[in-house]
Structure formats: C-alpha cells, structure tokens
C-alpha cells in the first residue's frame, strides 16, 4: 500500500458535494476578489477565535509581513524568532528591513526556548515572533511575559497551529496579532494560496486591512501606498466549508498521533513527540527523532511510505543567512535535531491499519540495524 505524507484527495472526497456546490456558487456570482464569501469567512474565523478582527490575505507569508510592517517594524530594528521554522518566518522580518535574530529551540518541544531570549534582546529589538511548530504551542505565557517586561510586540506565527490552545486559550490571541497560512497542506487548507491575520486591536486591524489592499479601504481612496495581498472568493468559500470540520479533523490527527506513539514506544531507538503540559497539540506534523534517519527514509520510500523533514537545515544555517555568521554551537539543539527529525504521514483520514503498516516497517528497519 502507498501512503503519502498528506492526502488532500482523501479529504476532498469526504466533503465533495459541499465543496463543488460552493465553488459553483462563487463562479455564478463572480465573487472572485473580496465580496461576500471573503467577508463571510473572515467573520466566521474571527468568531471562532473570539477576536474582533480577521483580515484575509493572499498567503501566510504575507500575513506575517503585513503584521510586522504595520506594527511599524523596519530598517534598523531587530525581531527575535526561532531557529527552527519554515523560511517564511524569518524572510518576512528581512522584508520589512529589520534583522532576524535567531534563538535556539527547547529540547523535545521544538519551539523557541524562552530562557534563551533575554540574552538576545538589545536596544534595537522591537518584537518577538514565536512559531507554534508542528501544531504544538510554544511556551507562549513565558514569551508574553518577556514581551511585557521589555515592551516588545508579540506576533504569533500560527501557520501550523489552527485552533491549538495553551491553558485553554487559543494561540494567536496572546499577542498583538496572530498570523495564519491556509496553504493546502496545513491543518486548515484552501485549494490554493491563502492566509489571514487576527487581532483585537482596532487601529492595527484597520492599518493591516488598508495596507493589504493597495492602501485603501474604499475604492480609489488611497491614503497610503500598500500591496496587493487579498484572500480570494474561491479560497474563502472553500475555507468556510472546511472550517466546519476543523475541530473533528484536529481530533482525528490527535488520535492518530496517540496511536503512533503507543506503537512506537515498543520500538527501540526512536524519540516520539512530547506534548507540553496544559496545551492542546493539533499535530500538523508527527515528528520523531532517530539516528540513521536518512537510511530509514530510503527504506520507507522503497516500501511505498512517504515521509518529510521539517526542516533539513535549521534557519540560521541556511545559505541565505551565511551573512549572519552563525555556528553550530550558537544553536546546539536545532543543529543536533536537523539530522534526526522525521515527519511521518499525518492527516485525519489516515487509519489504524496504515499506521500499523508504517510502524511495522520502522520496526523491521530498526531490527535490521541492530543485527
Ligand atoms: C506555511 C508556513 C508559513 C507560510 O505560509 P504560506 O501560506 O505558504 O505563505 C509561515 N510560517 C510557517 C511556520 C509555515 O509553516
């Protein structure tokens, strides 16, 4: 049996009539740019988050850029972020003109280590940008405390953590703004690029909305220059359908993760994901650690199982950041983990038999290593 890392077709089949109908409606009404489907999704998303504003944008990268830029971050500023994430997190800092300042990750949790943040704060630091990686909240209360003490903005990158919670409060609602990606493979995914920003700050919301739409809130009323970063009607309509199922899907991911962990605990030499106390982890990715990772990847591929690595090179060690002159000792945890992490297939439609098949193969591989 072939098992992909993520199976978007399987999900589509479970909601096909609703999706097909809503896409047809958008086309009939030619509600392509902005319009009622976008407004509907924005208000549904804000409501489900219990926040005042949701601004639909073109993708999750723009969401971060727009939030940072509208908080006034730019040339000469520094923004502190995690050493382990997708490059969108740090490239958007650079795009504002500011400098990304990386902090190592916590052992086992993979998110920014709050105990290492204060060392990196300077007079130029303007904001902290934590990432709730793989669907697990970062230690957001500790990070928020540091932001409050040092009067820094807090923008949460929630691209991998739709509706994950810390102390029963949804991540994305702790700071000045929460940013989301609806890239198709994310827990809540559109059928193309899409993103959003949430906030309770009225003035910030207005600025972000204006900037994302050529600097205007009304047609031809350009108070400032902006960019073109809009959520489109087709994506919004798809997202409104999918939003109804996200809790159920997140729950299924969690059950699949629990089953993986239960079976993997019987296999030698594998570290399974550790869940932080008082959080709900939504398992965007199910990430294990092991030696001989690359050999296992090849073995699984040969047997029809696709895996992923998120990410094979931690941000500070990417060629793009050579100019910062970082060394492995600067980020020892991120450096060690980049050669050991492995993402196993994870999606709501994955079933127990599939997980059993994957674990059997991993078990066989580990046995062959020890003989
Ligand atoms: C996917 C992702 C983004 C960017 O989202 P896009 O919609 O692809 O632009 C940003 N940050 C993280 C952590 C992501 O995983």
């Amino acid at each position: 049996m072939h098992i992909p890392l993520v199976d978007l077709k399987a999900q589509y089949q479970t909601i096909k009539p609703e999706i097909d109908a809503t896409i047809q409606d958008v086309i009939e009404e030619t509600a392509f740019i902005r319009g009622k489907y976008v407004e509907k999704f924005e208000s549904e998303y804000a409501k489900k988050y219990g926040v005042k504003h949701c601004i639909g944008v073109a993708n999750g990268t723009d969401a971060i850029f727009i939030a940072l830029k509208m908080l006034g971050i730019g040339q000469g500023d520094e923004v502190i972020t995690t050493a382990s994430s997708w490059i969108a997190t740090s490239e958007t800092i650079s795009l504002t003109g500011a400098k990304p300042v990386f902090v190592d990750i916590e052992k086992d949790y993979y998110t920014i280590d709050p105990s290492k943040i204060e060392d990196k704060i300077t007079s130029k630091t303007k904001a902290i940008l934590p990432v709730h990686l793989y669907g697990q909240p970062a230690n957001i209360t500790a990070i928020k405390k540091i932001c409050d003490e040092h009067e820094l903005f807090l923008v949460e990158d929630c691209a991998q953590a739709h509706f994950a919670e810390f102390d029963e409060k949804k991540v994305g609602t702790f700071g000045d703004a929460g940013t989301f990606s609806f890239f198709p493979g994310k827990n809540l995914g559109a059928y193309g690029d899409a993103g959003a920003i949430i906030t309770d700050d009225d003035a910030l919301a207005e600025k972000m909305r204006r900037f994302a739409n050529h600097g205007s809130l009304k047609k031809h009323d350009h108070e400032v220059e902006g960019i073109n970063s809009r959520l489109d009607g087709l994506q919004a309509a798809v997202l409104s359908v999918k939003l109804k199922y996200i809790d159920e899907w997140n729950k299924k991911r969690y059950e699949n993760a629990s089953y993986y962990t239960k079976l993997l605990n019987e296999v030698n030499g594998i570290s399974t994901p550790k869940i932080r106390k008082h959080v709900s982890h939504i398992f965007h990715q199910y990430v294990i650690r092991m030696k001989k990772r690359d050999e296992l990847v090849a073995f699984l591929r040969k047997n029809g199982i696709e895996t992923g690595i998120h990410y094979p090179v931690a941000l500070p060690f990417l060629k793009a950041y050579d100019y910062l002159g970082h060394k492995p000792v600067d980020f020892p945890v991120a450096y060690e983990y980049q050669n050991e992490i492995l993402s196993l297939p994870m999606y709501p439609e994955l079933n127990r038999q599939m997980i059993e098949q994957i674990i059997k193969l991993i078990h066989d591989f580990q046995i062959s290593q020890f003989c």
Side-chain angles (χ1 to χ4, degrees):
M1 195 185 353
H2 172 76
I3 305 176
L5 183 61
V6 46
D7 190 345
L8 300 177
K9 188 90 184 266
Q11 184 172 80
Y12 170 57
Q13 270 146 7
T14 69
I15 50 174
K16 189 174 185 309
E18 276 181 282
I19 291 283
D20 291 356
T22 201
I23 287 176
Q24 198 58 50
D25 289 345
V26 175
I27 297 171
E28 293 288 346
E29 294 170 42
T30 65
F32 300 127
I33 302 290
R34 298 225 58 87
K36 74 175 205 198
Y37 292 92
V38 174
E39 279 164 27
K40 177 167 178 280
F41 175 71
E42 286 179 337
S43 79
E44 288 167 348
Y45 205 65
K47 182 153 176 256
K48 200 161 158 60
Y49 265 95
V51 296
K52 280 158 78 182
H53 308 280
C54 168
I55 296 126
V57 296
N59 55 65
T61 307
D62 281 2
I64 306 170
F65 170 64
I66 293 165
L68 293 176
K69 175 114 179 145
M70 291 303 104
L71 284 167
I73 290 157
Q75 198 79 40
D77 297 335
E78 293 177 357
V79 176
I80 290 175
T81 193
T82 174
S84 180
S85 184
W86 173 236
I87 191 169
T89 306
S90 49
E91 72 185 347
T92 47
I93 296 171
S94 306
L95 194 57
T96 67
K99 178 184 164 192
V101 175
F102 297 110
V103 169
D104 204 6
I105 55 173
E106 288 180 283
K107 279 215 161 90
D108 291 320
Y109 298 127
Y110 305 101
T111 47
I112 190 168
D113 186 342
S115 74
K116 294 179 182 167
I117 289 178
E118 276 180 312
D119 279 352
K120 303 282 179 97
I121 296 177
T122 71
S123 58
K124 295 177 177 173
T125 309
K126 287 284 148 45
I128 302 181
L129 175 58
V131 179
H132 304 296
L133 199 71
Y134 309 149
Q136 164 123 285
N139 188 350
I140 195 68
T141 50
I143 297 164
K144 171 92 170 96
K145 194 158 162 268
I146 296 169
C147 288
D148 290 345
E149 280 168 14
H150 296 267
E151 294 184 24
L152 304 174
F153 294 121
L154 174 57
V155 176
E156 298 172 74
D157 180 348
C158 308
Q160 303 188 5
H162 313 78
F163 302 102
E165 294 180 351
F166 190 106
D167 273 342
E168 291 177 17
K169 183 172 159 64
K170 291 182 182 64
V171 298
T173 64
F174 285 82
D176 298 281
T179 67
F180 294 85
S181 165
F182 305 120
F183 176 83
K186 301 286 158 88
N187 285 38
L188 181 61
Y191 287 171
D193 277 311
I197 313 164
I198 59 170
T199 185
D200 263 330
D201 181 331
D202 299 336
L204 178 64
E206 193 177 299
K207 271 189 183 172
M208 296 193 295
R209 191 176 286 288
R210 182 182 287 129
F211 183 71
N213 191 31
H214 298 292
S216 80
L217 291 172
K218 287 196 306 252
K219 205 165 193 174
H220 301 307
D221 183 18
H222 305 276
E223 287 185 27
V224 290
E225 285 181 327
I227 59 173
N228 177 1
S229 183
R230 297 178 293 220
L231 176 62
D232 72 68
L234 285 167
Q235 303 311 333
V238 167
L239 288 167
S240 279
V241 171
K242 287 191 163 200
L243 190 60
K244 295 190 286 180
Y245 300 98
I246 185 66
D247 294 336
E248 190 187 310
W249 288 336
N250 279 345
K251 188 161 159 273
K252 285 200 177 138
R253 285 174 183 268
Y254 188 86
E255 285 165 9
N256 285 338
S258 304
Y259 196 49
Y260 261 128
T261 297
K262 178 167 174 261
L263 300 184
L264 276 172
N265 283 340
E266 312 285 308
V267 183
N268 280 329
I270 308 273
S271 301
T272 52
K274 209 168 142 189
I275 302 176
R276 206 187 280 287
K277 282 206 180 74
H278 312 299
V279 308
S280 74
H281 189 323
I282 55 141
F283 284 98
H284 173 57
Q285 300 293 353
Y286 184 87
V287 178
I288 60 171
R289 283 197 321 275
M290 63 176 313
K291 310 288 173 199
K292 306 231 171 166
R293 188 252 336 253
D294 296 338
E295 289 88 336
L296 176 63
V297 168
F299 177 78
L300 289 176
R301 186 183 300 128
K302 211 174 67 201
N303 287 282
I305 313 295
E306 276 178 36
T307 56
I309 300 171
H310 303 92
Y311 297 88
V313 181
L315 294 175
F317 309 123
L318 289 172
K319 199 152 193 281
Y321 298 111
D322 269 357
Y323 75 96
L324 293 171
H326 290 309
K327 294 184 201 63
V329 293
D330 300 333
F331 309 95
V333 183
Y335 186 72
E336 182 190 328
Y337 284 1
Q338 68 183 15
N339 298 318
E340 299 180 356
I341 49 175
L342 179 64
S343 308
L344 299 180
M346 173 51 78
Y347 46 94
E349 298 76 18
L350 192 71
N351 62 39
R352 289 196 156 214
Q353 290 86 318
M354 291 157 127
I355 294 173
E356 285 158 13
Q357 186 191 335
I358 296 163
I359 301 305
K360 183 179 181 306
L361 287 166
I362 296 176
H363 184 254
D364 291 350
F365 174 81
Q366 289 295 77
I367 296 282
S368 73
Q369 296 303 305
F370 291 113
C371 294

